[in-house]
Amino acid sequence: MSSTISAASGDVEERSISQGRIIWRRFASQKVGLIAALVLLAVVAFATSAVGLGPIPGWWKYNWYDLADSVNGGEPTLSLFPFSLGDHPFGQDRIGRDYFAMTMRGIQNSFVAMMLITGIALVVGITVGAIAGYFRGWVDAVLMRITDVFIVIPAIVIAAVVGNWAGAVGVWVLGLMLGFFSWMVIARLVRGEFLSLREREFVEAARVAGASDARIIFRHILPNATGVIIVAGSLLAAGAILLEAAISLLGYGIRSPDVSLGLLIGVNQSAFTVRPWLFWWPAVFIVTLALSANIFGDALREAFDPRSRRFSRRRTKERANLAEPDVAAPTTLMDAGAQNPRTGTPTLRDPE
Protein backbone atom coordinates (compact mmCIF):
# COMPACT_ATOMS: atom_id res chain seq x y z
CA MET A 1 0.00 0.00 0.00
CA SER A 2 2.76 2.40 0.94
CA SER A 3 4.66 1.65 -2.26
CA THR A 4 1.53 2.38 -4.31
CA ILE A 5 1.09 5.71 -2.55
CA SER A 6 4.73 6.65 -3.12
CA ALA A 7 4.46 5.77 -6.82
CA ALA A 8 1.32 7.90 -7.14
CA SER A 9 2.98 10.80 -5.35
CA GLY A 10 5.93 10.49 -7.72
CA ASP A 11 3.61 10.79 -10.72
CA VAL A 12 1.95 13.87 -9.21
CA GLU A 13 5.35 15.41 -8.56
CA GLU A 14 6.45 14.76 -12.17
CA ARG A 15 3.29 16.41 -13.49
CA SER A 16 3.75 19.43 -11.22
CA ILE A 17 7.22 20.34 -12.48
CA SER A 18 7.86 22.14 -15.75
CA GLN A 19 8.00 20.37 -19.08
CA GLY A 20 11.59 21.47 -19.59
CA ARG A 21 12.75 19.77 -16.38
CA ILE A 22 10.90 16.60 -17.33
CA ILE A 23 12.66 16.55 -20.71
CA TRP A 24 16.01 17.18 -19.03
CA ARG A 25 15.45 14.31 -16.58
CA ARG A 26 14.61 11.95 -19.42
CA PHE A 27 17.66 13.05 -21.37
CA ALA A 28 19.96 12.82 -18.34
CA SER A 29 18.80 9.24 -17.78
CA GLN A 30 20.16 8.32 -21.22
CA LYS A 31 23.78 7.88 -20.21
CA VAL A 32 25.05 7.02 -23.68
CA GLY A 33 23.37 10.05 -25.23
CA LEU A 34 24.73 12.32 -22.50
CA ILE A 35 28.25 11.00 -23.06
CA ALA A 36 27.87 11.50 -26.83
CA ALA A 37 26.78 15.12 -26.30
CA LEU A 38 29.74 15.77 -24.00
CA VAL A 39 32.16 14.18 -26.48
CA LEU A 40 30.77 16.29 -29.34
CA LEU A 41 30.97 19.52 -27.36
CA ALA A 42 34.41 18.67 -25.97
CA VAL A 43 35.91 17.94 -29.39
CA VAL A 44 34.48 21.11 -30.94
CA ALA A 45 35.44 23.30 -27.96
CA PHE A 46 38.97 21.87 -27.91
CA ALA A 47 39.44 22.42 -31.64
CA THR A 48 38.04 25.97 -31.54
CA SER A 49 40.18 26.96 -28.56
CA ALA A 50 43.28 25.53 -30.22
CA VAL A 51 43.11 27.44 -33.52
CA GLY A 52 40.94 30.37 -32.40
CA LEU A 53 37.72 31.81 -33.76
CA GLY A 54 37.84 34.75 -36.15
CA PRO A 55 40.01 37.51 -34.68
CA ILE A 56 40.38 35.60 -31.38
CA PRO A 57 43.65 33.65 -31.45
CA GLY A 58 43.96 30.10 -30.16
CA TRP A 59 46.38 28.66 -27.64
CA TRP A 60 48.26 26.48 -30.13
CA LYS A 61 51.50 28.01 -31.39
CA TYR A 62 50.99 27.11 -35.07
CA ASN A 63 48.30 27.95 -37.60
CA TRP A 64 46.98 25.65 -40.32
CA TYR A 65 48.77 27.71 -43.01
CA ASP A 66 52.15 28.28 -41.31
CA LEU A 67 55.22 26.54 -42.74
CA ALA A 68 57.87 25.14 -40.41
CA ASP A 69 61.05 23.12 -40.61
CA SER A 70 60.61 19.37 -40.58
CA VAL A 71 60.78 17.85 -37.09
CA ASN A 72 61.24 14.11 -36.53
CA GLY A 73 60.95 13.50 -40.26
CA GLY A 74 57.38 14.82 -40.23
CA GLU A 75 56.17 12.02 -37.97
CA PRO A 76 53.90 12.71 -34.95
CA THR A 77 55.71 13.86 -31.81
CA LEU A 78 52.80 12.90 -29.54
CA SER A 79 53.89 10.67 -26.65
CA LEU A 80 51.54 8.99 -24.17
CA PHE A 81 54.10 7.52 -21.73
CA PRO A 82 55.19 10.02 -20.53
CA PHE A 83 52.54 12.32 -21.95
CA SER A 84 53.95 15.02 -24.21
CA LEU A 85 52.56 16.87 -27.23
CA GLY A 86 55.90 17.87 -28.66
CA ASP A 87 56.25 20.38 -31.48
CA HIS A 88 53.90 18.61 -33.91
CA PRO A 89 51.71 16.03 -32.09
CA PHE A 90 49.92 14.93 -35.29
CA GLY A 91 53.00 15.28 -37.49
CA GLN A 92 53.53 17.51 -40.53
CA ASP A 93 52.35 17.34 -44.10
CA ARG A 94 54.73 17.14 -47.04
CA ILE A 95 55.40 20.89 -47.13
CA GLY A 96 55.92 21.28 -43.37
CA ARG A 97 52.57 22.56 -42.11
CA ASP A 98 51.50 21.49 -38.63
CA TYR A 99 48.94 18.71 -38.99
CA PHE A 100 47.46 19.23 -35.54
CA ALA A 101 46.42 22.80 -36.40
CA MET A 102 45.10 21.65 -39.78
CA THR A 103 43.01 18.89 -38.18
CA MET A 104 41.61 21.25 -35.53
CA ARG A 105 40.66 23.72 -38.26
CA GLY A 106 39.00 20.90 -40.19
CA ILE A 107 36.94 19.93 -37.13
CA GLN A 108 35.84 23.54 -36.72
CA ASN A 109 34.79 23.83 -40.37
CA SER A 110 32.98 20.48 -40.30
CA PHE A 111 30.98 21.54 -37.23
CA VAL A 112 30.05 24.88 -38.79
CA ALA A 113 28.92 23.13 -41.97
CA MET A 114 26.92 20.61 -39.94
CA MET A 115 25.09 23.32 -37.99
CA LEU A 116 24.32 25.41 -41.07
CA ILE A 117 23.15 22.51 -43.22
CA THR A 118 21.02 21.04 -40.45
CA GLY A 119 19.54 24.37 -39.38
CA ILE A 120 18.57 25.53 -42.87
CA ALA A 121 17.23 22.11 -43.85
CA LEU A 122 15.11 21.87 -40.69
CA VAL A 123 13.58 25.32 -41.18
CA VAL A 124 12.75 24.73 -44.86
CA GLY A 125 11.72 21.10 -44.43
CA ILE A 126 9.44 21.71 -41.43
CA THR A 127 7.78 24.67 -43.16
CA VAL A 128 7.13 22.80 -46.41
CA GLY A 129 6.05 19.58 -44.70
CA ALA A 130 3.77 21.31 -42.19
CA ILE A 131 1.98 23.37 -44.83
CA ALA A 132 1.58 20.40 -47.17
CA GLY A 133 0.37 18.02 -44.46
CA TYR A 134 -2.03 20.43 -42.81
CA PHE A 135 -3.75 22.06 -45.78
CA ARG A 136 -3.59 19.05 -48.15
CA GLY A 137 -5.37 19.43 -51.50
CA TRP A 138 -3.65 21.36 -54.27
CA VAL A 139 -1.17 22.89 -51.79
CA ASP A 140 0.05 19.44 -50.84
CA ALA A 141 0.22 18.34 -54.48
CA VAL A 142 2.29 21.34 -55.60
CA LEU A 143 4.74 21.23 -52.69
CA MET A 144 5.27 17.47 -52.92
CA ARG A 145 5.91 17.61 -56.67
CA ILE A 146 8.56 20.26 -56.06
CA THR A 147 10.02 18.02 -53.36
CA ASP A 148 10.06 15.05 -55.75
CA VAL A 149 11.98 17.07 -58.33
CA PHE A 150 14.73 17.80 -55.78
CA ILE A 151 14.75 14.20 -54.50
CA VAL A 152 15.33 12.54 -57.88
CA ILE A 153 18.50 14.59 -58.44
CA PRO A 154 21.43 12.77 -56.77
CA ALA A 155 22.55 14.60 -53.67
CA ILE A 156 26.23 14.27 -54.52
CA VAL A 157 25.62 15.94 -57.91
CA ILE A 158 23.84 18.89 -56.29
CA ALA A 159 26.55 19.10 -53.64
CA ALA A 160 29.30 19.05 -56.26
CA VAL A 161 27.68 21.80 -58.33
CA VAL A 162 26.93 23.96 -55.29
CA GLY A 163 30.27 23.24 -53.64
CA ASN A 164 32.24 24.05 -56.77
CA TRP A 165 31.11 27.64 -56.40
CA ALA A 166 30.35 28.04 -52.71
CA GLY A 167 33.40 26.12 -51.47
CA ALA A 168 35.76 28.73 -52.82
CA VAL A 169 33.79 31.44 -50.98
CA GLY A 170 34.04 29.75 -47.59
CA VAL A 171 32.42 27.28 -45.24
CA TRP A 172 29.60 29.66 -44.25
CA VAL A 173 28.32 30.10 -47.80
CA LEU A 174 28.90 26.41 -48.50
CA GLY A 175 26.83 25.38 -45.48
CA LEU A 176 23.99 27.77 -46.33
CA MET A 177 23.79 26.62 -49.94
CA LEU A 178 23.91 22.91 -49.10
CA GLY A 179 21.20 23.45 -46.47
CA PHE A 180 18.78 24.71 -49.12
CA PHE A 181 19.25 21.43 -51.02
CA SER A 182 18.99 19.05 -48.03
CA TRP A 183 15.44 19.58 -46.74
CA MET A 184 13.48 17.07 -48.84
CA VAL A 185 13.54 14.02 -46.54
CA ILE A 186 12.55 16.11 -43.52
CA ALA A 187 9.68 17.68 -45.48
CA ARG A 188 8.23 14.27 -46.38
CA LEU A 189 8.55 12.97 -42.80
CA VAL A 190 6.91 16.07 -41.32
CA ARG A 191 4.13 15.92 -43.91
CA GLY A 192 3.33 12.33 -43.00
CA GLU A 193 3.27 13.16 -39.30
CA PHE A 194 0.99 16.16 -39.87
CA LEU A 195 -1.41 14.08 -41.97
CA SER A 196 -1.79 11.73 -39.01
CA LEU A 197 -1.93 14.31 -36.22
CA ARG A 198 -4.38 16.68 -37.91
CA GLU A 199 -7.15 14.09 -37.49
CA ARG A 200 -6.67 13.74 -33.72
CA GLU A 201 -9.26 14.88 -31.18
CA PHE A 202 -7.16 17.69 -29.70
CA VAL A 203 -6.87 19.31 -33.15
CA GLU A 204 -10.64 19.14 -33.63
CA ALA A 205 -11.10 20.64 -30.17
CA ALA A 206 -8.75 23.49 -31.06
CA ARG A 207 -10.71 24.18 -34.26
CA VAL A 208 -14.00 24.23 -32.34
CA ALA A 209 -12.44 26.63 -29.83
CA GLY A 210 -11.69 29.03 -32.69
CA ALA A 211 -7.90 28.62 -32.89
CA SER A 212 -6.28 29.88 -36.08
CA ASP A 213 -4.46 27.60 -38.50
CA ALA A 214 -1.10 29.03 -37.48
CA ARG A 215 -1.82 28.39 -33.80
CA ILE A 216 -2.95 24.82 -34.48
CA ILE A 217 0.19 24.13 -36.54
CA PHE A 218 2.76 25.64 -34.19
CA ARG A 219 1.13 25.20 -30.76
CA HIS A 220 -0.75 21.90 -31.10
CA ILE A 221 0.55 19.72 -33.94
CA LEU A 222 4.23 20.67 -34.20
CA PRO A 223 5.13 19.89 -30.55
CA ASN A 224 3.68 16.39 -31.01
CA ALA A 225 5.87 15.85 -34.10
CA THR A 226 9.05 16.79 -32.24
CA GLY A 227 10.26 13.19 -31.96
CA VAL A 228 10.19 12.62 -35.72
CA ILE A 229 11.84 15.98 -36.39
CA ILE A 230 14.65 15.33 -33.92
CA VAL A 231 15.38 11.91 -35.37
CA ALA A 232 15.48 13.34 -38.89
CA GLY A 233 17.62 16.26 -37.74
CA SER A 234 20.12 14.02 -35.98
CA LEU A 235 20.47 11.79 -39.02
CA LEU A 236 20.85 14.87 -41.20
CA ALA A 237 23.53 16.29 -38.89
CA ALA A 238 25.58 13.12 -39.18
CA GLY A 239 24.99 13.04 -42.92
CA ALA A 240 25.97 16.70 -43.26
CA ILE A 241 29.42 15.97 -41.83
CA LEU A 242 29.87 13.11 -44.27
CA LEU A 243 28.50 15.17 -47.19
CA GLU A 244 30.89 18.05 -46.56
CA ALA A 245 33.77 15.60 -46.19
CA ALA A 246 32.81 13.81 -49.42
CA ILE A 247 32.62 16.87 -51.65
CA SER A 248 35.81 18.29 -50.13
CA LEU A 249 37.53 14.97 -50.75
CA LEU A 250 36.45 15.16 -54.40
CA GLY A 251 37.83 18.71 -54.64
CA TYR A 252 34.49 20.55 -54.89
CA GLY A 253 34.17 21.75 -51.32
CA ILE A 254 36.40 23.89 -49.12
CA ARG A 255 39.54 24.97 -50.94
CA SER A 256 43.11 25.62 -49.86
CA PRO A 257 44.49 27.56 -47.98
CA ASP A 258 41.49 26.74 -45.74
CA VAL A 259 41.09 23.10 -44.76
CA SER A 260 38.42 20.56 -43.86
CA LEU A 261 38.60 16.97 -42.71
CA GLY A 262 37.52 15.66 -46.09
CA LEU A 263 40.06 17.83 -47.89
CA LEU A 264 42.85 16.50 -45.66
CA ILE A 265 41.92 12.91 -46.55
CA GLY A 266 41.67 13.71 -50.25
CA VAL A 267 45.01 15.50 -50.43
CA ASN A 268 46.88 12.85 -48.46
CA GLN A 269 45.22 9.66 -49.72
CA SER A 270 48.22 8.86 -51.93
CA ALA A 271 50.47 8.92 -48.84
CA PHE A 272 48.40 6.37 -46.93
CA THR A 273 51.02 3.62 -47.06
CA VAL A 274 53.97 5.95 -46.38
CA ARG A 275 52.47 8.41 -43.87
CA PRO A 276 49.27 6.80 -42.55
CA TRP A 277 48.82 9.39 -39.78
CA LEU A 278 47.92 11.98 -42.43
CA PHE A 279 44.89 9.83 -43.22
CA TRP A 280 43.91 8.40 -39.85
CA TRP A 281 43.62 11.60 -37.80
CA PRO A 282 40.95 13.26 -40.03
CA ALA A 283 39.14 9.92 -40.45
CA VAL A 284 38.95 9.34 -36.69
CA PHE A 285 37.44 12.77 -36.06
CA ILE A 286 34.94 12.43 -38.92
CA VAL A 287 33.64 9.19 -37.40
CA THR A 288 33.65 10.70 -33.89
CA LEU A 289 31.62 13.76 -34.91
CA ALA A 290 29.11 11.83 -37.02
CA LEU A 291 28.59 9.06 -34.45
CA SER A 292 28.27 11.48 -31.53
CA ALA A 293 25.69 13.59 -33.39
CA ASN A 294 23.66 10.49 -34.24
CA ILE A 295 23.64 9.08 -30.69
CA PHE A 296 22.89 12.52 -29.23
CA GLY A 297 19.90 12.92 -31.54
CA ASP A 298 18.54 9.49 -30.61
CA ALA A 299 18.72 10.40 -26.90
CA LEU A 300 16.96 13.70 -27.58
CA ARG A 301 14.16 11.87 -29.37
CA GLU A 302 13.54 9.64 -26.38
CA ALA A 303 13.61 12.66 -24.08
CA PHE A 304 11.02 14.61 -26.09
CA ASP A 305 8.76 11.65 -26.88
CA PRO A 306 7.00 10.36 -23.73
CA ARG A 307 5.72 7.31 -25.63
CA SER A 308 9.22 5.90 -26.11
CA ARG A 309 10.61 4.30 -22.98
CA ARG A 310 13.69 2.15 -22.70
CA PHE A 311 13.50 -1.23 -21.01
CA SER A 312 14.46 -0.91 -17.35
CA ARG A 313 15.05 -4.06 -15.30
CA ARG A 314 14.64 -2.13 -12.05
CA ARG A 315 11.31 -0.58 -13.12
CA THR A 316 10.04 -3.95 -14.31
CA LYS A 317 10.84 -5.54 -10.94
CA GLU A 318 9.11 -2.70 -9.08
CA ARG A 319 5.97 -3.13 -11.14
CA ALA A 320 6.06 -6.90 -10.60
CA ASN A 321 6.35 -6.39 -6.84
CA LEU A 322 3.39 -4.02 -6.84
CA ALA A 323 1.32 -6.56 -8.76
CA GLU A 324 2.06 -9.42 -6.33
CA PRO A 325 -0.69 -10.05 -3.68
CA ASP A 326 0.13 -9.69 -0.01
CA VAL A 327 -0.91 -13.31 0.73
CA ALA A 328 0.72 -16.06 -1.25
CA ALA A 329 -1.66 -18.11 -3.36
CA PRO A 330 -2.27 -21.67 -2.19
CA THR A 331 -0.13 -24.22 -3.95
CA THR A 332 -2.34 -27.26 -3.25
CA LEU A 333 -5.93 -27.94 -2.38
CA MET A 334 -4.83 -29.17 1.06
CA ASP A 335 -3.47 -25.70 1.96
CA ALA A 336 -6.69 -23.68 1.65
CA GLY A 337 -9.18 -26.07 0.18
CA ALA A 338 -11.03 -25.86 -3.08
CA GLN A 339 -13.97 -23.47 -3.45
CA ASN A 340 -17.39 -24.51 -4.58
CA PRO A 341 -17.92 -22.78 -7.94
CA ARG A 342 -21.60 -22.06 -7.09
CA THR A 343 -21.55 -21.04 -3.44
CA GLY A 344 -17.94 -19.86 -3.11
CA THR A 345 -17.52 -21.72 0.19
CA PRO A 346 -14.32 -23.71 0.76
CA THR A 347 -14.62 -27.47 0.56
CA LEU A 348 -11.77 -29.45 2.06
CA ARG A 349 -10.62 -32.65 0.44
CA ASP A 350 -9.95 -35.59 2.71
CA PRO A 351 -6.49 -36.97 2.30
CA GLU A 352 -6.30 -40.40 0.80
Side-chain angles (χ1 to χ4, degrees):
M1 183 67 179
S2 60
S3 59
T4 306
I5 296 175
S6 61
S9 61
D11 295 339
V12 173
E13 180 184 358
E14 183 176 357
R15 288 194 298 267
S16 63
I17 62 179
S18 64
Q19 184 70 15
R21 294 188 63 183
I22 295 176
I23 293 173
W24 167 248
R25 286 183 179 180
R26 291 174 184 160
F27 175 74
S29 64
Q30 310 294 329
K31 303 301 181 183
V32 178
L34 189 60
I35 293 174
L38 294 177
V39 169
L40 180 63
L41 293 176
V43 170
V44 174
F46 181 79
T48 303
S49 65
V51 297
L53 182 62
I56 304 175
W59 53 265
W60 187 239
K61 54 187 174 181
Y62 296 108
N63 285 321
W64 61 91
Y65 49 82
D66 289 337
L67 301 180
D69 296 332
S70 179
V71 177
N72 195 26
E75 296 184 6
T77 60
L78 177 64
S79 175
L80 297 179
F81 303 103
F83 181 78
S84 175
L85 292 177
D87 290 333
H88 303 284
F90 288 2
Q92 295 173 274
D93 66 354
R94 60 179 179 272
I95 61 175
R97 290 179 296 182
D98 180 65
Y99 211 62
F100 177 80
M102 298 176 71
T103 304
M104 295 300 106
R105 177 64 175 178
I107 293 172
Q108 189 181 62
N109 283 337
S110 295
F111 182 75
V112 171
M114 179 193 75
M115 296 300 295
L116 290 174
I117 294 173
T118 306
I120 297 298
L122 282 175
V123 172
V124 178
I126 291 173
T127 302
V128 173
I131 294 175
Y134 182 79
F135 291 102
R136 298 189 299 184
W138 66 269
V139 177
D140 181 24
V142 171
L143 291 178
M144 286 301 102
R145 297 299 76 78
I146 296 175
T147 305
D148 292 338
V149 170
F150 280 93
I151 287 180
V152 298
I153 303 176
I156 193 65
V157 175
I158 297 178
V161 173
V162 172
N164 190 36
W165 170 76
V169 179
V171 65
W172 293 91
V173 179
L174 176 66
L176 288 173
M177 295 301 297
L178 290 179
F180 282 109
F181 292 94
S182 305
W183 52 269
M184 293 80 71
V185 174
I186 294 178
R188 295 182 69 90
L189 290 174
V190 172
R191 170 185 175 270
E193 195 71 10
F194 265 67
L195 287 175
S196 175
L197 292 174
R198 74 184 304 276
E199 305 299 332
R200 297 288 184 86
E201 291 80 2
F202 65 89
V203 177
E204 293 295 334
R207 289 197 185 99
V208 172
S212 62
D213 292 333
R215 182 177 179 84
I216 294 175
I217 291 175
F218 292 105
R219 294 295 300 273
H220 297 280
I221 302 181
L222 190 59
N224 289 277
T226 307
V228 174
I229 294 172
I230 290 176
V231 172
S234 64
L235 294 176
L236 179 61
I241 297 175
L242 301 178
L243 177 63
E244 185 276 327
I247 62 173
S248 296
L249 186 148
L250 295 174
Y252 298 109
I254 297 176
R255 312 286 180 81
S256 183
D258 207 351
V259 295
S260 73
L261 296 177
L263 180 62
L264 293 178
I265 294 177
V267 171
N268 299 294
Q269 60 182 344
S270 60
F272 175 71
T273 57
V274 182
R275 294 184 169 187
W277 59 87
L278 298 178
F279 178 88
W280 283 113
W281 286 117
V284 166
F285 283 107
I286 287 176
V287 174
T288 300
L289 292 176
L291 188 62
S292 299
N294 203 348
I295 296 175
F296 173 60
D298 186 64
L300 274 182
R301 177 190 63 82
E302 295 190 1
F304 276 92
D305 189 2
R307 295 170 296 179
S308 63
R309 293 187 178 273
R310 287 183 178 269
F311 172 77
S312 174
R313 188 181 301 273
R314 179 181 59 82
R315 187 166 57 243
T316 303
K317 288 183 178 180
E318 291 178 354
R319 292 177 179 175
N321 293 333
L322 290 176
E324 290 180 355
D326 295 336
V327 180
T331 57
T332 63
L333 294 176
M334 291 297 298
D335 294 335
Q339 287 187 349
N340 190 313
R342 293 184 178 180
T343 63
T345 59
T347 59
L348 298 177
R349 179 188 298 177
D350 294 333
E352 297 179 357

